Amino acid sequence: MKVFGFVLIFLSITYTVFSMELVTEVKYQGFDTEKIDFDDEALGRVTLKDNSNENYSFFIEYVFGDGTDRVDAGQIKIMKNNMDFEIGRNRIGWGSGYNLNPTDIFNDIPVGSAYDPTYVKNGRDSIIGTYYTENSSIQGIYAIKDDSEKDEDYGIKYKTSFSEYDLDAVYIHKGNRSAVWGEEEKDDIIGGDISTSIPDFNYGVWIEAAYYLDKRDLVYIIGIDNYFGEKYRVMFEYLYYGLGEDKKGNYNVSRILAGFPEGKSYLMPSITYEYSEKISVTGYCYINTEDSSYLLGTTISYLYTDHIDINLMPFYAQGKTGSEYGVLGEGFGNIGVSFVMRVVF
């Protein structure tokens, strides 16, 4: 914890001298299943921000805990005329999909994180430049080689809007990368997304797609949602994952246990009920349509105070032997639950 002590002193002095905004978050979390009892974990996050200048912003987020001392994200952003320039450990978020983003290869996000209100993705060391016009923008990203897993990645995105439509078009070069589930070869990707709302019906619709030129594989997600009765949100997404396997005998078990899709075709419905300003409940399902396995999950969120929230997230995985969620059930157990309490001050 020596590194954390040094960083905390630095942040405190900087906060005092420059009157920056300082936010501290403490999170206690646990994850248990039928077969595996994981040790509970307590983590802290310190965020220092400066948004006082209209042409400049700065923030740094430092995470500490048992065996954890790292800068999760940090950025210097310069804004001048019609241009933004960002350098640092950025959280990059391309695409309009809710559960997965085919056009965002910069930050790997496991399936299920969309229903975890406390999930925060890691930053990626990168340089981002954005040029704005009246109704559109062009953004370029260069993500630096990660010695542990990822080679350099880079891409360019054109974003515009017309009538009721938001439209993105992208080109991406994805570098080689290694992980616990094996190697992924570099490729060039073209794609984009389009989103709109259907007037008078309160429906939102989005389509996001990425085509891998070398592999000649397509990944796309189609979604629709609707808010009704002021308390309900119903959402449905369909994912075609061309990079996956069409036979369960070829599944990569390590990839499944790490929380990434391994099949080719998925249905993902969900419904959220806002019981009150403090309590909301979401039920969701991931269905592998080819091997008929599925995962049912629930997220119960309780805002105890303005500074304390509690989240309970049970799940149930079911499928035949060798199927995607059958493998998950065999590895972890069919029933599991995660619990997170977060305090922000």
Side-chain angles (χ1 to χ4, degrees):
M1 300 293 287
K2 292 181 179 179
V3 176
F4 165 66
F6 172 79
V7 172
L8 186 60
I9 292 172
F10 167 77
L11 293 178
S12 300
I13 293 173
T14 307
Y15 167 70
T16 303
V17 174
F18 296 101
S19 300
M20 294 184 180
E21 178 186 352
L22 181 65
V23 178
T24 302
E25 173 186 322
V26 178
K27 183 165 69 173
Y28 172 79
Q29 57 190 25
F31 180 43
D32 296 292
T33 70
E34 286 180 311
K35 294 186 177 181
I36 301 176
D37 294 328
F38 289 87
D39 292 334
D40 296 342
E41 183 180 35
L43 294 174
R45 180 183 301 273
V46 180
T47 304
L48 186 68
K49 297 181 181 180
D50 178 15
N51 296 314
S52 58
N53 192 312
E54 63 179 10
N55 296 319
Y56 163 88
S57 68
F58 162 83
F59 84 92
I60 185 170
E61 292 187 8
Y62 189 81
V63 175
F64 59 93
D66 294 336
T68 302
D69 285 292
R70 69 174 186 268
V71 175
D72 231 15
Q75 177 197 92
I76 295 174
K77 183 175 182 180
I78 299 171
M79 299 159 281
K80 190 172 183 180
N81 298 328
N82 295 330
M83 295 191 67
D84 291 348
F85 183 75
E86 304 161 66
I87 183 168
R89 186 160 293 177
N90 299 295
R91 292 192 176 100
I92 303 165
W94 283 6
S96 56
Y98 186 77
N99 287 285
L100 290 171
N101 295 117
T103 62
D104 184 6
I105 56 87
F106 301 99
N107 296 103
D108 291 325
I109 302 177
V111 174
S113 60
Y115 298 106
D116 180 356
T118 67
Y119 182 83
V120 179
K121 64 182 177 181
N122 296 335
R124 179 80 186 273
D125 293 341
S126 55
I127 301 170
I128 304 174
T130 309
Y131 176 76
Y132 299 94
T133 62
E134 184 175 355
N135 294 314
S136 60
S137 64
I138 298 176
Q139 183 175 79
I141 294 178
Y142 176 77
I144 299 168
K145 176 180 173 64
D146 183 331
D147 291 335
S148 63
E149 291 184 3
K150 302 177 182 178
D151 283 347
E152 63 180 12
D153 302 313
Y154 51 84
I156 187 168
K157 177 176 72 171
Y158 174 73
K159 183 179 183 67
T160 190
S161 60
F162 59 93
S163 185
E164 299 293 328
Y165 296 88
D166 293 322
L167 176 67
D168 293 354
V170 304
Y171 162 77
I172 304 166
H173 173 79
K174 179 179 181 179
N176 292 314
R177 60 191 61 192
S178 61
V180 294
W181 56 80
E183 300 286 336
E184 292 184 8
E185 297 179 351
K186 66 180 180 180
D187 210 329
D188 292 294
I189 302 167
I190 56 173
D193 65 87
I194 185 169
S195 58
T196 188
S197 59
I198 301 176
D200 303 324
F201 291 98
N202 209 25
Y203 280 95
V205 181
W206 57 93
I207 302 172
E208 182 182 349
Y211 182 72
Y212 287 68
L213 296 175
D214 290 343
K215 297 182 182 67
R216 297 184 180 180
D217 284 325
L218 178 66
V219 179
Y220 66 85
I221 195 165
I222 301 173
I224 185 170
D225 71 350
N226 183 39
Y227 292 86
F228 62 95
E230 296 184 357
K231 290 183 176 292
Y232 294 90
R233 180 197 183 198
V234 175
M235 185 181 69
F236 180 90
E237 282 192 317
Y238 170 75
L239 171 67
Y240 176 76
Y241 192 72
L243 301 173
E245 299 287 348
D246 54 9
K247 295 181 179 179
K248 62 183 182 181
N250 297 329
Y251 286 167
N252 185 320
V253 175
S254 296
R255 185 176 174 87
I256 293 173
L257 297 179
F260 293 92
E262 187 63 6
K264 280 187 176 288
S265 179
Y266 297 85
L267 297 176
M268 299 172 290
S270 72
I271 181 169
T272 298
Y273 172 57
E274 295 183 3
Y275 177 77
S276 66
E277 292 183 357
K278 291 183 175 293
I279 300 175
S280 66
V281 180
T282 297
Y284 62 92
C285 185
Y286 296 108
I287 306 168
N288 184 321
T289 63
E290 296 186 327
D291 64 24
S292 300
S293 64
Y294 61 89
L295 182 142
L296 294 172
T298 303
T299 300
I300 304 169
S301 297
Y302 175 45
L303 183 63
Y304 180 68
T305 70
D306 289 341
H307 303 285
I308 301 174
D309 62 84
I310 301 170
N311 301 275
L312 188 67
M313 293 165 280
F315 71 86
Y316 174 74
Q318 182 61 49
K320 295 180 180 179
T321 300
S323 66
E324 180 165 1
Y325 295 113
V327 168
L328 190 67
E330 292 166 4
F332 290 117
N334 297 99
I335 299 174
V337 62
S338 59
F339 168 83
V340 180
M341 182 174 69
R342 185 173 54 177
V343 181
V344 180
F345 54 91

